């Protein structure tokens, strides 16, 4: 009972974190990270938000905001799943799957495979076990499908929305996306934090989110100028930290 209650508590906590955490909303003052100026790809702007639109971000018509590395809008969470809360969503699926599998094993051992003389159950208990078995099997199949979908996205670096677009355009095999680094999902706070629904500490917040702000870039530039050090693995901006004004790039309006 203690193990099952712990699994349920972690699943509920992960659900709450996914629902109420910021999925990675792009702020009004967002600007491209410095490494984005080194490539030849144009910088896009959202035609609805009128702000810079980072790569792999999408505008959610339900939330009415752009989400960094948006995977999809989850109606079960009433929130988008993006770069900032993907960890919590994965943990919710994992603990829900684990809880359902554990419950089915308990039912199988104590009910379906019980053939001793002590296996006498009331009608209410029989109907309750049957109903819970159906619910657990349904939830197990659903979460298994979602876990495979998320695993595919991690291995290919292509989110659900982008994958559907590639399939519609028949370009699923010509993408140059790279697999996601697990530290960009679960953070660098230690492996023990990967299984706890706490906010991850990203190795480079701006790179994971796909955008920066003028204030962060200026602050990083001053830090590098005074300290003479470069941006480390935990810096909030790019390596050389030079300032970028929002007007320093020409955006192309992009459909939502």
């Amino acid at each position: 009972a203690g193990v099952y209650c712990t699994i349920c508590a972690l699943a509920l906590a992960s659900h709450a974190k996914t629902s109420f955490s910021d999925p990675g909303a792009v702020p009004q003052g967002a600007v491209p990270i410095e490494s984005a100026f080194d490539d030849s790809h144009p910088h896009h702007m959202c035609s609805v938000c009128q702000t810079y639109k980072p790569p792999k971000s999408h505008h959610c018509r339900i939330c009415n905001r752009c989400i960094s590395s948006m995977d999809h809008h989850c109606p079960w969470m009433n929130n988008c799943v993006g770069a900032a809360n993907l960890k919590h969503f994965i943990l919710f699926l994992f603990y829900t799957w684990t809880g359902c599998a554990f419950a089915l094993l308990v039912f199988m051992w104590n009910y379906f495979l019980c053939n001793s003389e002590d296996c006498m159950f009331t009608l209410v208990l029989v109907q309750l076990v049957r109903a819970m078995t159906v619910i657990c099997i349904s939830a197990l199949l659903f979460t298994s499908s979602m876990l495979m979908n998320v695993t595919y996205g991690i291995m290919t670096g292509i989110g659900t929305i982008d994958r559907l677009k590639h399939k519609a355009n028949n370009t699923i095999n010509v993408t140059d996306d790279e697999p996601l680094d697990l530290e960009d999902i679960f953070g660098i706070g230690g492996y023990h934090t990967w299984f706890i629904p706490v906010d991850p500490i990203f190795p480079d917040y701006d790179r994971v989110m796909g955008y920066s702000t003028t204030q962060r870039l200026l602050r990083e530039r001053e830090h590098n100028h005074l300290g003479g050090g470069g941006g480390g693995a935990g810096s909030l901006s790019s390596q050389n930290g030079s300032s970028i004004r929002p007007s320093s790039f020409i955006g192309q309006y992009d459909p939502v």
Side-chain angles (χ1 to χ4, degrees):
V3 175
Y4 183 74
C5 289
T6 301
I7 295 174
C8 290
L10 289 170
L12 291 174
S14 301
H15 184 280
K17 289 292 291 184
T18 308
S19 299
F20 299 110
S21 295
D22 178 16
V26 181
Q28 288 289 327
V31 296
I33 58 178
E34 282 197 60
S35 60
F37 289 96
D38 297 332
D39 54 39
S40 58
H41 296 288
H43 302 300
H44 299 280
M45 293 187 68
C46 178
S47 59
V48 179
C49 297
Q50 301 293 315
T51 58
Y52 169 64
K53 190 174 184 181
K56 297 185 179 181
S57 65
H58 297 280
H59 183 87
C60 178
R61 293 183 175 88
I62 301 176
C63 298
N64 195 29
R65 56 184 178 177
C66 284
I67 307 298
S68 295
S69 299
M70 178 178 173
D71 187 82
H72 67 286
H73 181 91
C74 183
W76 307 101
M77 303 292 175
N78 193 31
N79 196 11
C80 291
V81 176
N85 66 346
L86 179 59
K87 169 192 174 181
H88 307 312
F89 182 69
I90 294 175
L91 289 181
F92 168 73
L93 295 176
F94 172 75
Y95 286 123
T96 301
W97 187 95
T98 304
C100 292
F102 186 83
L104 288 175
L105 289 176
V106 172
F107 292 157
M108 182 181 300
W109 182 260
N110 294 283
Y111 178 78
F112 294 105
L113 300 181
C114 185
N115 54 9
S116 65
E117 297 180 354
D118 297 331
C119 296
M120 300 295 295
F121 305 101
T122 63
L123 179 61
V124 174
L125 185 60
V126 170
Q127 298 302 324
L128 181 61
V129 170
R130 291 177 179 176
M132 290 301 299
T133 300
V134 173
I135 294 175
C136 287
I137 292 177
S138 301
L140 190 70
L141 294 176
F142 178 75
T143 52
S144 297
S145 174
M146 292 299 299
L147 281 171
M148 288 188 292
N149 183 71
V150 172
T151 302
Y152 179 84
I154 295 175
M155 296 176 61
T156 60
I158 306 175
T160 302
I161 296 178
D162 291 327
R163 184 164 66 253
L164 293 176
K165 288 185 176 181
H166 283 305
K167 287 184 177 180
N169 298 327
N170 198 25
T171 58
I172 190 66
N173 295 322
V174 297
T175 178
D176 56 354
D177 293 290
E178 298 180 355
L180 297 180
D181 192 334
L182 291 180
E183 289 187 347
D184 292 344
I185 301 175
F186 297 98
I188 56 175
Y191 293 124
H192 65 281
T193 64
W194 287 20
F195 300 94
I196 305 174
V198 295
D199 292 332
I201 301 175
F202 296 123
D204 189 336
Y205 183 84
D206 288 359
R207 177 181 58 80
V208 174
M209 292 295 131
Y211 69 85
S212 185
T213 62
T214 305
Q215 293 79 8
R216 285 207 298 266
L217 294 177
L218 285 173
R219 185 167 61 250
E220 185 69 17
R221 180 187 182 186
E222 293 175 358
H223 172 75
N224 292 340
H225 178 71
L226 295 175
S235 63
L236 291 179
S237 64
S238 56
Q239 296 296 322
N240 55 25
S242 61
S243 61
I244 296 178
R245 296 185 301 272
S247 59
S248 61
F249 68 94
I250 300 176
Q252 295 186 355
Y253 284 102
D254 217 19
V256 296

